[in-house]
Amino acid sequence: EINIKNIRIPKLFIWGTEDRVVPYDAVKDMIPQDEENKLVMVKGAGHPVYLDKTEEFFKIVSDFILS
């Protein structure tokens, strides 16, 4: 079984503030606490952030990859 906390590369987490599938507390608890990981909250997006806020989603991903 793979545990995301055991993966040792920078990780990007994108969460929509209107997500009714995965609550914020669950996301927050899932993210390993180190400075290489990043959580971006997308205001007004639901669980499928990439569908609700497509352009914003791809900009976040692109900025993370290129940083």
Side-chain angles (χ1 to χ4, degrees), residues 5-44:
K5 292 182 179 186
N6 294 330
I7 299 172
R8 302 287 179 217
I9 60 171
K11 292 171 277 305
L12 172 63
F13 297 84
I14 303 173
W15 181 78
T17 60
E18 302 301 315
D19 190 333
R20 301 296 177 241
V21 176
V22 180
Y24 176 71
D25 288 341
V27 171
K28 191 175 73 172
D29 291 342
M30 180 177 28
I31 299 173
Q33 299 299 313
D34 65 53
E35 56 193 53
E36 289 189 339
N37 298 317
K38 183 174 184 180
L39 170 62
V40 178
M41 298 171 69
V42 179
K43 188 172 184 171

